[in-house]
Amino acid sequence: MRLFRALASLLILHQLQGSNASLVQLNDNGYEDVIIAIDPTVSEDGNIIEQIKDMVTTASTYLFEATEKRFFFRNVSILIPETWEGNLQYRRPKYESYKHADVIVAPPTLPGRDEPYTRQFTECGEKAEYIHFTPDVVLGKKQNEYGPLGRLLVHEWAHLRWGVFDEYNEDQPFYRAESKKIEATRCSTGISGTNSVYKCQGGSCFTRGCRTDSTTKLYEKDCQFFPNKVQTEKASIMFMQSIDSIVEFCNETNHNQEAPSLQNIKCNYRSTWEVIRESEDFKNTTPMAAPPPAPTFALLRISERIVCLVLDKSGSMDVSNRLNRMNQAAKQFLLQTVENGSWVGMVQFDSVASIKSELIQIRSDSERDALLKSLPTQAIGGTSICTGIRTAFQVIRNKDFQLDGSEIVLLTDGEDPTASSCINEVKESGAVIHFIPLGPLADEAVEEMQKITGGKYFYASDEAENNGLIDAFAALTSENADLSQKSLQLESKGLTLDTDAWMNDTVVIDSTVGKDTFFLVTWNTQQTPSISLWAPNGTLTEAFRQDADSRMAYLTIPGNAQVGTWTYNLQAKANSETLTITVTSRAANSSVPPITVSAKMNKDTNSFPSPMIVYAEVRQGYVPILGASVTAVIESNSGNTIVLELLDNGAGADAFKDDGVYSRYFTAFSENGRYNLKVRAYGGANSARQSLPLNRAAFVPGWVENGEIKGNPPRPETAENTQTITESFSRTASGGAFVVSGFQGPSSIDLYPPNQITDLDATFDSENITLTWTAPGGDFDVGNAQRYIIRINGSMTDLRDNFDDALQVNTTDLLPKEANSKEIFTFKPGNISEKNVNHIFIAIQSVDENNLTSKVSNIARVALFIMEEETNETQTTPTPAGNYSPGVNFSAMVLSVVASVALVSFVVPLFVS
């Protein structure tokens, strides 16, 4: 048990240090290096820039007061698209890019749906990804619906920075309180208003009272909570910051623990202010005595991409076909990945460095072909990384370009004791270092350069069939280019074969891609393989261009490739032949966003045996894609691979069901050193579907003024919450590298308990309680647990804080299923007097074969009283919040297992360390 508690603490520590792209720093109470990026697809409008400034300035003051004089915005960079006209006020970015943006101003996820949201797919207290505002929101056109822009930014910043959640719930807008009244889900309950159905048609509107649904025993679907325009309550910002009187976050004294809010569900019933107080930001600051200074702004306009390849040709590159593999990957980058209009140069280094190509602007195939001729042909000499980097700086300066924002792609396989000598020089340069270590001995000093400049980090082992080197170069697209210009990987696969053996498979080209479709085949012997490629209409394509020296063949499909399934057949012509195939493409239409997949680990460094989490996000533009089949391939330092199926089921490592983020725990460590992540996503025809993002800002339907509802224009509704994708698609992407330390070899000790159950649900049908949940594994989400411990209590806080003392349910006949299966269990609570108890609270622990126990699950709640019919409730009197004391004598309860039909009630998760 002590071992697991130590592991749990270690997991929490590393999750807080997770892999997050933000560059924000907190210095002397002020947030610095905040990036607000205007998406390239947004039409030029100078008012957007001015409105962003006003938003941040007013938000800074509101944030300062709301956090008891602790936090404010000190400086903000506004990233302006290259398509906007230049201005003398604009500077070239350094490390700032869309990858690092904290706030993105971009078109709506779906037409007409302007809801602001924060992309948040991790657990309570963990930083989120980014905030999304639409241009109309920034321009103030949605203030009636979402409130003043500065206040809205503070609401979303709390999601982004401190990992708190909304104190409303679109899926459960009402609940039955301990008082047996139907209440609106909100915090605090001191916020008053009216529950009504408000409909408008033909220029006239009507209001009526809400009716109780006979199934849910809550208000009907069209019922909405209309807050009073004039309020005195000060909390909470995470419910409805648009109310004038709201200036605080809910705290212990006014937090509504009864409501099925996302904050209660995800944060163990803690108030938002409690979670904020536990953040590193809060711990590292004290209240300020004086008001903060006004924020300052830097206007940064994206300009032409400048990239210099710095390629190792030292003697060790002659080992394991490294030099040729590097050339294959570099050719893929030069022929396909790097975007037209980019400036590209090349430096080679061993113990010295030489310029092989000054910067050339890519305008056509002729510039790309010229760069191909500059690749190294011989591996010889030592390794001087800093010499290579300094020479790349010179290449950039030779064209009178600034180093700010320029990119250096550094590939090396060797150690260099002098590499750390230029770290400060790199830091001061303003250039971004992308690092690709090849093989197990590549120098670690460059990792520091990559981290401090915000560059990308990939690892490629000597196992060519894993295709890691080509994947790395394929992932080096511009962070600041329009998505329609970026090369996307559709396929990446390799196999080692004997003579005459075949590598046969298919790749899907869907209608969102097809432009500049590029097929690349590589091999590692002198014998050219047989290559056949059939288009979806059955036409055999034979126009592959052979490059015998580099042992590769490639083909570009002119125009837009045929939509459908392409079939390839590759036949080896030598023993121990390693064949790989890579397929990339671009968006078919600049006005239709392509489907993409991206991936990352929850942290960049890990100390064994702490578990890690893999995340993969599938989306089209900003619209999440559900129902895809997603797998992760994790390659170790020596080239061994582990394949994981990633899930979007809201269980185990996956925080939210159906949010387009697919997750899984990773514990199959096999050695110390670098690991690399690659993901594959596939959607079958009519199996995948689009959905709106979760965690959207609260839409204010209207206000009650002088007893009368004054409605806002209704929010546009899509025909369905999800829309089916009618065609198949496939995508592949690299998720970068991470480093593992502390591994001491295989162990017979069971290191990992079952994962925490986070989706426990309970229903009651007047006699029986039925529980459902997703089965955990014996080792987190792998295998089977041995048994379950189910306990109940009449007090949520007693069950949460003293789980082991609560009454245990008889689960003798309940045998755990395989991880990620659906569990159903029904029992009868007997001898309960209705006048003594209103609710029962239930939680589960899982135990594995070595008696390691999981964390206690989320807490499920069932109401035992008979619902009274209610209509047209006006909520003007605060409902008491806090703990529950129903006074039931649980020692008198008799519990038995029976069959049952269930009635829906709400669930509140719990996370106990």
Side-chain angles (χ1 to χ4, degrees), residues 482-530:
D482 188 295
L483 182 57
S484 65
Q485 301 173 27
K486 293 187 179 184
S487 174
L488 304 173
Q489 247 186 316
L490 310 186
E491 176 71 294
S492 171
K493 191 170 292 185
L495 205 59
T496 298
L497 304 168
D498 287 330
T499 303
D500 295 331
W502 291 88
M503 177 177 168
N504 303 324
D505 213 332
T506 60
V507 60
V508 175
I509 297 179
D510 59 276
S511 63
T512 70
V513 293
K515 183 180 178 182
D516 296 337
T517 302
F518 183 79
F519 289 81
L520 171 65
V521 176
T522 71
W523 56 94
N524 67 343
T525 70
Q526 297 294 334
Q527 302 298 315
T528 302
S530 171

Side-chain angles (χ1 to χ4, degrees), residues 719-891:
E720 300 286 344
N721 287 332
T722 61
Q723 298 178 2
T724 300
I725 298 174
T726 58
E727 59 181 335
S728 299
F729 67 88
S730 63
R731 296 291 186 273
T732 298
S734 176
F738 60 95
V739 178
V740 173
S741 61
F743 182 78
Q744 298 179 351
S747 173
S748 59
I749 300 174
D750 186 358
L751 298 173
Y752 302 111
N755 65 264
Q756 180 191 26
I757 294 167
T758 58
D759 62 347
L760 177 65
D761 193 12
T763 57
F764 182 59
D765 70 345
S766 77
E767 290 186 359
N768 306 305
I769 295 175
T770 297
L771 306 179
T772 60
W773 68 93
T774 301
D779 293 338
F780 284 102
D781 54 10
V782 176
N784 294 66
Q786 185 76 14
R787 59 189 175 91
Y788 293 119
I789 301 171
I790 301 177
R791 296 184 184 274
I792 63 175
N793 201 311
S795 164
M796 180 280 298
T797 50
D798 283 350
L799 183 62
R800 179 189 67 182
D801 299 336
N802 302 289
F803 177 80
D804 291 340
D805 297 332
L807 185 65
Q808 185 170 348
V809 177
N810 181 0
T811 57
T812 303
D813 296 328
L814 177 58
L815 299 178
K817 297 179 181 178
E818 186 177 356
N820 298 303
S821 301
K822 202 66 180 177
E823 298 274 25
I824 301 175
F825 177 71
T826 301
F827 66 94
K828 176 181 290 187
N831 293 342
I832 299 178
S833 173
E834 184 180 317
K835 65 181 180 181
N836 291 330
V837 63
N838 291 331
H839 296 87
I840 288 180
F841 300 90
I842 308 135
I844 303 179
Q845 266 190 329
S846 309
V847 185
D848 72 8
E849 60 186 357
N850 292 306
N851 285 323
L852 293 182
T853 58
S854 69
K855 296 179 182 180
V856 176
S857 73
N858 64 289
I859 293 178
R861 168 186 175 180
V862 291
L864 302 180
F865 51 81
I866 302 299
M867 312 296 184
E868 300 174 0
E869 191 74 17
E870 298 181 26
T871 60
N872 198 25
E873 289 194 2
T874 300
Q875 298 191 335
T876 57
T877 304
T879 301
N883 300 339
Y884 313 101
S885 302
V888 63
N889 181 359
F890 274 81
S891 62

Side-chain angles (χ1 to χ4, degrees), residues 17-23 99-100 102 126-130 160 600-604:
Q17 298 172 345
S19 177
N20 187 283
S22 176
L23 302 178
K99 169 187 174 184
H100 301 300
D102 304 290
E126 298 179 32
K127 292 181 176 69
E129 299 298 300
Y130 59 84
L160 181 76
K600 71 171 190 174
M601 305 298 294
N602 67 317
K603 44 194 169 182
D604 298 322

Side-chain angles (χ1 to χ4, degrees), residues 168-237:
Y168 49 84
N169 189 335
E170 286 193 356
D171 294 330
Q172 299 180 68
F174 298 98
Y175 68 100
R176 280 278 178 174
E178 188 71 18
S179 64
K180 299 188 180 182
K181 297 287 187 179
I182 300 178
E183 297 270 8
T185 301
R186 68 200 192 282
C187 189
S188 73
T189 54
I191 296 174
S192 59
T194 299
N195 303 321
S196 296
V197 174
Y198 180 82
K199 293 286 187 179
C200 295
Q201 188 174 6
S204 61
C205 301
F206 72 91
T207 303
R208 66 167 173 81
C210 298
R211 303 186 181 103
T212 303
D213 184 278
S214 60
T215 301
T216 66
K217 303 303 180 184
L218 297 171
Y219 285 141
E220 60 191 300
K221 179 182 176 182
D222 291 334
C223 183
Q224 298 181 89
F225 175 68
F226 291 84
N228 291 330
K229 185 67 175 177
V230 178
Q231 307 262 358
T232 58
E233 183 64 35
K234 294 183 177 181
S236 169
I237 290 171

Side-chain angles (χ1 to χ4, degrees), residues 369-438:
D369 290 339
L371 286 162
L372 297 183
K373 298 174 183 176
S374 302
L375 290 165
T377 58
Q378 185 179 17
I380 191 171
T383 303
S384 179
I385 291 171
C386 287
T387 301
I389 291 173
R390 293 186 180 112
T391 305
F393 289 166
Q394 187 59 47
V395 168
I396 296 166
R397 291 190 181 107
N398 286 347
K399 278 287 184 181
D400 294 326
F401 286 123
Q402 297 177 0
L403 291 180
D404 288 353
S406 60
E407 302 170 60
I408 291 175
V409 178
L410 175 63
L411 182 145
T412 184
D413 74 333
E415 295 179 298
D416 176 7
T418 68
S420 59
S421 65
C422 60
I423 289 178
N424 287 336
E425 189 176 344
V426 168
K427 182 178 180 180
E428 297 298 322
S429 71
V432 176
I433 306 294
H434 305 302
F435 183 34
I436 306 175
L438 174 56

Side-chain angles (χ1 to χ4, degrees), residues 518-570:
F518 183 79
F519 289 81
L520 171 65
V521 176
T522 71
W523 56 94
N524 67 343
T525 70
Q526 297 294 334
Q527 302 298 315
T528 302
S530 171
I531 303 172
S532 300
L533 176 67
W534 280 270
N537 63 3
T539 303
L540 178 62
T541 304
E542 299 177 328
F544 275 84
R545 182 174 175 180
Q546 301 284 340
D547 184 348
D549 291 338
S550 295
R551 302 171 195 172
M552 57 186 280
Y554 54 92
L555 166 69
T556 299
I557 305 294
N560 282 350
Q562 288 183 34
V563 172
T565 301
W566 291 69
T567 302
Y568 60 85
N569 303 124
L570 311 180

Side-chain angles (χ1 to χ4, degrees), residues 144-167:
N144 287 341
E145 293 88 341
Y146 301 108
L149 197 53
R151 288 172 168 241
L152 179 61
L153 176 58
V154 172
H155 175 103
E156 300 300 337
W157 186 262
H159 285 299
L160 181 76
R161 188 69 186 180
W162 304 313
V164 298
F165 292 88
D166 294 317
E167 288 170 327

Side-chain angles (χ1 to χ4, degrees), residues 584-605:
T584 59
S585 190
R586 286 185 166 84
N589 187 330
S590 60
S591 63
V592 179
I595 294 171
T596 61
V597 62
S598 59
K600 71 171 190 174
M601 305 298 294
N602 67 317
K603 44 194 169 182
D604 298 322
T605 59

